[in-house]
Amino acid sequence: MITSNRILPVDQESSIFLKTAEKGTKNMKEESERMTTIKGIFCNFTAALTSNPSEEKKFRTPRERRIMNDELRKMPSLSGFRSNHLMVNRERVMNYLPQLRRCSHLDNIARVHAIEMAEEGKILKHLSSKTLLRLQENGYPKALVVMNAGRSSSILDAQNKFMNSKISRSNILDPKLKRIGFGCENDEKGRVYSCQMFTSLQDRLILI
């Protein structure tokens, strides 16, 4: 794992790890003081360049392959139904990982970020201070929150670009993550700005 103070652009995409204080809200101020400040936002940016355990295991038993194929057959078809949540979960199933649960609160945050990107006409490599504050104040003292952001011609194109990016792919296939949110917005030129958000929290999030 490599830690950096900045995000390296990867094919018009960026992947962000936002790690909040690990000692609870009582020590939030102390923890924030040692975090990297970027445009007034306290956050740690971490690029997960190590491979995931699911991708390290090359050999699969016939039983494992049968279970994976059975689970794929039970999932809705992508033809005519461009759900990014489904696209992500199909990738995880094909890599022998559990599916992520959709979180409407993360959907809302991802949607807001996508709108901000479309309005500014560029990839934003960090959340706004207001959005980040919502994450920090509502149950994230021990949670890992990961964000992929990109610009593309469609939702399917966005997913393909994420999977072709080493960091974004590692985020999507991270076995520690449990929940997913997705948002997108078109700019005036018809380009699609997409934002995927993931968290390690399993319980329902309460965001205001």
Side-chain angles (χ1 to χ4, degrees), residues 104-120:
S104 60
H105 302 293
L106 288 181
D107 279 344
N108 292 336
I109 290 178
R111 169 73 170 162
V112 168
H113 190 66
I115 291 174
E116 291 174 350
M117 290 192 292
E119 290 177 346
E120 296 195 26

Side-chain angles (χ1 to χ4, degrees), residues 54-90:
S54 63
E55 297 187 276
E56 291 176 357
K57 184 178 179 181
K58 300 298 182 181
F59 175 76
R60 296 292 176 175
T61 66
R63 182 176 182 275
E64 287 177 315
R65 291 195 294 270
R66 184 172 62 254
I67 292 174
M68 184 269 288
N69 288 325
D70 287 343
E71 191 166 357
L72 280 177
R73 280 193 290 269
K74 294 176 184 178
M75 299 179 74
S77 172
L78 285 174
S79 58
F81 184 63
R82 299 303 185 191
S83 166
N84 188 255
H85 305 85
L86 179 57
M87 293 175 188
V88 168
N89 277 329
R90 287 185 69 88

